[in-house]
Amino acid sequence: MLLIRPVLDLVKSLPVLVGALVLGHGNYWQWIGLAATAVTIGVGISHCLTSRYRVTATQIEWHTGLLLRKQRAIPRDRIRTVDVLSEPKHRLFSLSAVRIGTGRHDHGKGPGKDQLVLDAVTRAEAQRLRTLLLHRKPVETEAPPESLVAEVDKRWVRYAPFTLSGIAVVAAILGTVYHFAHELHFDPTSFGPVRDLTARALEQPVWLTVLVAAAGLLVLVSVLSIGGYVLSFWNFRLTREPGGTLHIRRGLITTRSVSIEEDRLRGVEIKEPLPLRMVGGAKCVAVAAGLREGKGADRGGGLLLPPAPAAKAREIASEVLGEDVANVPLVRHSGRALTRRITRAVFSVLALSAALFALARLDVLPEWPWQAALVLLPFAVLVAFDRYRTLGHAITGRYLVTRSGSLARATVAVQRDRLTGIVVRQSFFQRRAGLVTVIAPVAAGSGHYRVLDVEEGAGLALADTAVPGLLTPFLTVPDKA
């Protein structure tokens, strides 16, 4: 790390260093920039030289700092996650970073306040800490045997273009290029190849230019999506260790090792975004305490299976939970739910068209936007029908299963005995239609999962069955003396 840390700190300080050398040439700002860079590198080196950690019978402690001392301690009985991450900077010297978490939700990209990061230790030490802190026992001379649950198939890379992950990369690149071009007052269309390409595009018919641009964007997005899939999920393996721990390993350049105690596993979620569903694909994510949620969750520690055939995702979900929760027949919702979805879809399109029509009357917009909005009406109805068709719920064994969504369909199975309560919600329009939404709160995943627009009687019965006895005082009419 004494070789790695100064280089990383120097890269982070490049804006200050370049600004000092270019803009501050010949005055004291240059020396201030150089001094700030030197201080940054010195602090990084002191961090490497002064970092110490130890594992006692009750907690793990970490000390660092030369002038400003920092101390962290985590009780061992609160440790729920031990992730081992090996980035290229670590793999160059056979090192790893160990992230020790207490099982609280992590909604951000980096380590949260409930995590202790040991950056970096040897690979052997990282595996020793993972076994010691999760299994609460010393490392044995031989690694405990693992049973293979799933591993990546190279043929699954065909699902990568349908994850649309390349769109985010393209958008980020275009946004960065535009930002710098705008700040430097630079017009890319006046530069060599870009200028020639723009001129040729203007000479062609508009429909041909749009078609070529769409095809080029599609190819670029597909290539980037495949590259991201290979980098993130190559060598993916999901195994089960003795003692009830799921172990996930993945990554080509940056490798990651994640352990999930089955005691804190609350269920699984099968995600089927529309593009992936059109080609029969899906991915499986764990619903467990302490894992990242929201943006970037799928690439976090909870991914049990990358984009793969939907049948395989359902198989892994049932294998992990020990019950066939993915193939259970779901109860269809009544036609009132279909009417509600179609009404909302039609009203949304008509409201948008009316707003654009009003702007056209005020000469703010031309006439064609509100007319084009009406073209979306049949598509909105189709989406509404698909949203209704995917609605369903069931109770099987220990699990409550619910499915919803069209553009982002998801099937979730959560343990009923781990629910923190039950919520029955009814809006004004649901009350007129005789429908309710049953919400199952759980201290994991997104925090709650919903059974949307189920008939009132069936919804109350579902809620009472999901958490027996909780709603009984509200559903039972007391006998009068």
Side-chain angles (χ1 to χ4, degrees):
M1 291 305 294
L2 290 177
L3 298 175
I4 297 173
R5 188 63 182 262
V7 175
L8 296 179
D9 291 336
L10 183 62
V11 172
K12 293 178 182 179
S13 302
L14 276 180
V16 176
L17 187 60
V18 171
L21 295 178
V22 176
L23 302 179
H25 182 69
N27 55 45
Y28 66 93
W29 287 109
Q30 177 179 0
W31 299 109
I32 293 178
L34 293 175
T37 303
V39 169
T40 301
I41 296 176
V43 170
I45 293 176
S46 68
H47 175 83
C48 297
L49 293 175
T50 59
S51 291
R52 300 287 187 273
Y53 68 92
R54 67 178 176 182
V55 180
T56 69
T58 58
Q59 63 184 13
I60 179 170
E61 303 172 0
W62 173 72
H63 299 175
T64 189
L66 183 61
L67 299 179
L68 179 61
R69 296 285 296 176
K70 294 182 180 180
Q71 299 182 5
R72 291 283 306 276
I74 294 181
R76 291 181 60 178
D77 58 359
R78 289 184 54 198
I79 295 175
R80 295 295 180 269
T81 61
V82 180
D83 299 348
V84 180
L85 183 68
S86 295
E87 299 179 350
K89 63 182 182 181
H90 298 125
R91 299 181 66 181
L92 185 63
F93 298 98
S94 299
L95 301 175
S96 297
V98 179
R99 294 184 176 183
I100 304 167
T102 59
R104 293 173 54 191
H105 289 287
D106 180 12
H107 295 268
K109 293 183 178 181
K113 294 182 178 180
D114 65 319
Q115 284 191 336
L116 176 61
V117 181
L118 303 179
D119 187 9
V121 298
T122 63
R123 291 178 182 176
E125 176 66 1
Q127 295 303 322
R128 187 189 76 86
L129 288 173
R130 187 183 71 84
T131 303
L132 176 64
L133 297 177
L134 281 181
H135 298 285
R136 277 77 171 175
K137 61 182 180 181
V139 182
E140 301 174 0
T141 55
E142 295 184 1
E146 298 179 336
S147 59
L148 180 65
V149 179
E151 63 180 344
V152 72
D153 189 329
K154 295 179 176 60
R155 294 173 294 180
W156 295 350
V157 75
R158 67 181 184 271
Y159 294 104
F162 300 95
T163 61
L164 303 182
S165 58
I167 293 181
V169 178
V170 172
I173 293 175
L174 293 179
T176 303
V177 171
Y178 174 80
H179 174 74
F180 279 103
H182 178 72
E183 291 294 329
L184 299 175
H185 303 286
F186 173 72
D187 184 8
T189 58
S190 62
F191 179 74
V194 179
R195 180 183 57 196
D196 298 338
L197 183 62
T198 304
R200 283 198 299 267
L202 294 176
E203 294 173 356
Q204 296 176 349
V206 176
W207 65 269
L208 181 59
T209 301
V210 173
L211 182 62
V212 172
L217 180 62
L218 180 62
V219 171
L220 180 60
V221 168
S222 299
V223 171
L224 292 176
S225 298
I226 292 174
Y229 190 99
V230 171
L231 292 176
S232 298
F233 306 126
W234 212 245
N235 300 321
F236 180 94
R237 284 174 59 88
L238 171 64
T239 58
R240 177 178 278 114
E241 298 177 342
T245 300
L246 296 174
H247 190 196
I248 305 167
R249 303 180 185 90
R250 62 175 178 84
L252 182 62
I253 297 178
T254 297
T255 62
R256 185 172 186 183
S257 173
V258 180
S259 297
I260 303 175
E261 289 182 318
E262 294 188 78
D263 288 342
R264 62 186 180 91
L265 187 67
R266 303 295 181 260
V268 296
E269 181 176 7
I270 299 176
K271 296 185 177 182
E272 301 173 87
L274 181 59
L276 193 58
R277 178 156 51 106
M278 292 173 60
V279 294
K283 50 189 174 182
C284 185
V285 181
V287 179
L291 299 180
R292 180 187 301 174
E293 298 300 326
K295 185 177 180 181
D298 294 349
R299 296 182 181 273
L303 189 67
L304 298 176
L305 190 71
K312 185 65 176 180
R314 291 191 289 268
E315 176 187 339
I316 296 304
S318 300
E319 173 70 19
V320 168
L321 297 182
E323 294 186 25
D324 189 8
V325 297
N327 297 308
V328 62
L330 301 182
V331 177
R332 297 289 299 272
H333 294 194
S334 68
R336 300 175 187 175
L338 174 61
T339 303
R340 175 172 164 81
R341 270 149 184 74
I342 293 179
T343 301
R344 294 172 65 180
V346 171
F347 176 79
S348 299
V349 173
L350 293 180
L352 175 62
S353 181
L356 296 175
F357 177 79
L359 293 176
R361 295 279 76 83
L362 296 174
D363 294 330
V364 177
L365 293 176
E367 294 288 336
W368 65 266
W370 72 267
Q371 298 171 355
L374 291 177
V375 178
L376 299 175
L377 193 57
F379 296 99
V381 174
L382 289 176
V383 172
F385 181 79
D386 186 60
R387 290 185 62 203
Y388 164 74
R389 188 176 62 86
T390 59
L391 283 180
H393 67 273
I395 290 182
T396 174
R398 299 181 299 145
Y399 293 92
L400 167 65
V401 183
T402 177
R403 185 180 66 191
S404 62
S406 175
L407 301 179
R409 186 168 77 176
T411 304
V412 184
V414 291
Q415 295 181 17
R416 294 188 291 141
D417 57 353
R418 297 302 181 95
L419 298 180
T420 58
I422 203 76
V423 178
V424 180
R425 188 178 66 186
Q426 188 177 48
S427 66
F428 172 77
F429 296 102
Q430 283 181 316
R431 187 161 61 250
R432 293 178 61 87
L435 302 174
V436 297
T437 294
V438 179
I439 303 175
V442 60
S446 63
H448 66 276
Y449 297 95
R450 300 181 297 173
V451 182
L452 297 172
D453 289 340
V454 62
E455 287 192 357
E456 186 172 356
L460 293 176
L462 173 67
D464 190 47
T465 306
V467 186
L470 185 62
L471 294 184
T472 303
F474 303 96
L475 302 179
T476 303
V477 179
D479 296 330
K480 292 184 179 180

